[in-house]
Amino acid sequence: MSARTWQRVLRAITTLVTLDSFAQAMFAGRFMAGSYDALDAHAANAGVLFGGILVMTVCFAAAWRFAGVPWWTAAVGVGLTLAAGIQIMLGYRMALAVHIPLGVMLVAGLLALTIQAWSTASAAIPAAGR
């Protein structure tokens, strides 16, 4: 794949995963506001979000390997994948004192990667790869 294609892939996957994390926060907020049905949606979407973060991490790792994207983007993806797994475990154990702040940090990390993909992905990919 060309560097331009990798750029488009990274922009698409980070945007979709970040939007899903916003939906996850919305489900949590609806649950805390008293809509207990939202807890089922929150639990179901946790697996979807984890899968999206995992696919995003694989995309960043492949783009690092084949298109010269900075290595730290893949490392952040690995950290977010691990954090999402811990997040799911904490949610099922109802450890909300850690679950909620970790969720905020996950959304912030995803947003940071999305901003990176949209603002400097073209500058980060070497000109020879274009």
Side-chain angles (χ1 to χ4, degrees):
M1 286 196 322
S2 72
R4 277 281 175 218
T5 304
W6 279 113
Q7 180 184 40
R8 289 183 188 116
V9 166
L10 294 177
R11 286 178 174 179
I13 190 74
T14 56
T15 301
L16 289 172
V17 172
T18 301
L19 288 173
D20 189 41
S21 75
F22 294 157
Q24 186 70 343
M26 181 199 65
F27 295 140
R30 287 187 56 218
F31 169 67
M32 288 189 274
S35 175
Y36 296 106
D37 292 337
L39 184 59
D40 292 335
H42 185 71
N45 193 54
V48 173
L49 184 58
F50 179 82
I53 293 171
L54 184 60
V55 168
M56 180 192 71
T57 300
V58 170
C59 288
F60 270 108
W64 165 55
R65 173 70 174 93
F66 299 114
V69 171
W71 66 270
W72 63 265
T73 57
V76 169
V78 169
L80 289 172
T81 304
L82 292 173
I86 292 167
Q87 177 75 342
I88 291 170
M89 179 201 64
L90 291 170
Y92 280 110
R93 291 189 180 190
M94 296 181 204
L96 298 182
V98 183
H99 180 77
I100 293 171
L102 183 57
V104 172
M105 288 189 293
L106 272 169
V107 172
L110 289 167
L111 188 57
L113 275 181
T114 302
I115 291 169
Q116 167 68 18
W118 280 95
S119 64
T120 60
S122 59
I125 297 174
R130 290 188 187 162

